[in-house]
Amino acid sequence: MPVLSPDDHAFFDEHGYVIVHDAVPREDLDALLEMIDRLVGLDPSTWYKPPHHDGAFIEAYQQQALWNTRQRPRVHAAFAGLFGTEKVTVGVDRASMNLPIHPDHPGFGESLPMHWDVRMDGSDDGRLGLQGVLAITDTTEDMGGVACVPGVHKRVAEIVARQGPGFNGMRPELGDLKAKAIPMKAGDLLIWTVRLLHGSLENRSGRPRLAQYIKFGRASDSVTPEQYAQRKKVFATGAPPARCKDNAQVEQPRQWACRPDHQPNLTELVS
């Protein structure tokens, strides 16, 4: 059964994003909260101390709580509906705890400039790519959640053309473009096109913004059955993604989070 209505599709086409309300049940959110508390700590007495860090990301990828949400039929159906096909593949991404800004702890809760996560310098092939984030708790406009420039996905060529010679294809000068924070309720799933400029504003709320990043891609006909079998084997064994294996991005004391508690339980959507 489709999750997105014709109005949802029209909104996505016009603004570059859409919100799927109640994408996961309460039990999934509670499991994510327990995971975050166990890995980094939810109590304010633990804030701004390791393993909290100013990047906000929680380097956890294969924990069961993360797989619970990735495998929800409503989440799968939302991405599949936007791609226009049931043949989609799930990515392995992480969670986030963005603490409020604090005068004694610079770097925490700061804004993230508007950017693209793929190069928009003419090297992209123009196909639809999607990104998503799940709100674990209610996220108001002042909490440092996702912000974007609505509708700018239709003006990529125009924006790229006016950039200077040092443009890296990902972080343009905005000029008169304005970013808008997107409030979300706990359990809401925000999905946006990779052509939409996005980032975050400062967290001035006094509360942490808690989220899980969820991404699906269109399944490629060029991928062999053997390659898909290997991908599912990695999922089933709970192996960390490549970014964890050489410790290139994950320094102590966060390295442990790349290891799961046990092999994830996968449903027929994955296994």
Side-chain angles (χ1 to χ4, degrees):
M1 181 177 179
V3 167
L4 300 176
S5 68
D7 286 345
D8 290 327
H9 282 278
F11 187 94
F12 177 85
D13 291 342
E14 179 66 22
H15 299 282
Y17 71 91
V18 68
I19 295 178
V20 181
H21 299 293
D22 300 316
V24 302
R26 181 70 244 178
E27 64 192 75
D28 285 2
L29 302 178
D30 290 340
L32 287 167
L33 289 171
E34 187 280 329
M35 180 199 77
I36 294 173
D37 190 35
R38 174 166 43 86
L39 295 181
V40 297
L42 289 172
D43 191 283
S45 66
T46 68
W47 296 0
Y48 311 108
K49 303 173 185 176
H52 288 286
H53 64 101
D54 57 11
F57 290 120
I58 301 171
E59 303 296 342
Y61 300 85
Q62 293 275 31
Q63 275 67 19
Q64 186 63 51
L66 300 170
W67 274 111
N68 292 343
T69 58
R70 295 171 188 151
Q71 298 180 100
R72 287 297 176 186
R74 189 167 170 81
V75 172
H76 175 274
F79 280 95
L82 289 171
F83 279 121
T85 176
E86 291 290 317
K87 296 178 66 175
V88 295
T89 59
V90 65
V92 177
D93 215 328
R94 51 197 164 178
S96 175
M97 182 174 180
N98 185 21
L99 295 176
I101 57 173
H102 194 289
D104 296 332
H105 302 283
F108 284 91
E110 294 183 353
S111 62
L112 178 64
M114 296 296 108
H115 64 280
W116 293 299
D117 287 321
V118 296
R119 295 192 182 279
M120 294 295 172
D121 55 5
S123 59
D124 69 295
D125 58 14
R127 290 185 297 178
L128 177 64
L130 298 174
Q131 297 172 264
V133 66
L134 175 73
I136 300 174
T137 56
D138 290 352
T139 305
T140 54
E141 294 180 355
D142 60 349
M143 287 182 69
V146 175
C148 69
V149 184
V152 80
H153 63 299
K154 298 181 176 182
R155 301 172 57 187
V156 172
E158 169 196 337
I159 294 169
V160 170
R162 69 187 189 209
Q163 300 303 307
F167 176 53
N168 67 358
M170 301 179 76
R171 189 170 291 186
E173 295 293 330
L174 295 184
D176 59 353
L177 297 174
K178 301 297 183 184
K180 170 189 175 183
I182 303 176
M184 301 170 65
K185 292 291 187 181
D188 283 353
L189 174 66
L190 171 67
I191 304 176
W192 67 94
T193 167
V194 296
R195 302 176 72 81
L196 185 70
L197 281 169
H198 63 282
S200 63
L201 306 182
E202 289 182 332
N203 184 353
R204 294 183 169 276
S205 69
R207 295 165 289 156
R209 176 255 186 166
L210 302 171
Q212 177 190 351
Y213 294 91
I214 300 177
K215 182 167 65 175
F216 281 72
R218 190 191 304 271
S220 173
D221 292 333
S222 64
V223 178
T224 66
E226 291 76 15
Q227 289 172 316
Y228 274 122
Q230 178 60 30
R231 180 184 176 92
K232 288 192 286 188
K233 181 179 178 182
V234 170
F235 290 168
T237 58
R243 73 187 71 172
C244 287
K245 292 180 180 178
D246 60 5
N247 200 28
Q249 294 186 14
V250 186
E251 69 279 8
Q252 295 288 2
R254 293 184 288 138
Q255 186 178 3
W256 44 259
C258 287
R259 298 189 295 270
D261 303 318
H262 49 74
Q263 294 182 358
N265 294 319
L266 303 179
T267 70
E268 65 277 3
L269 279 178
V270 177
S271 57

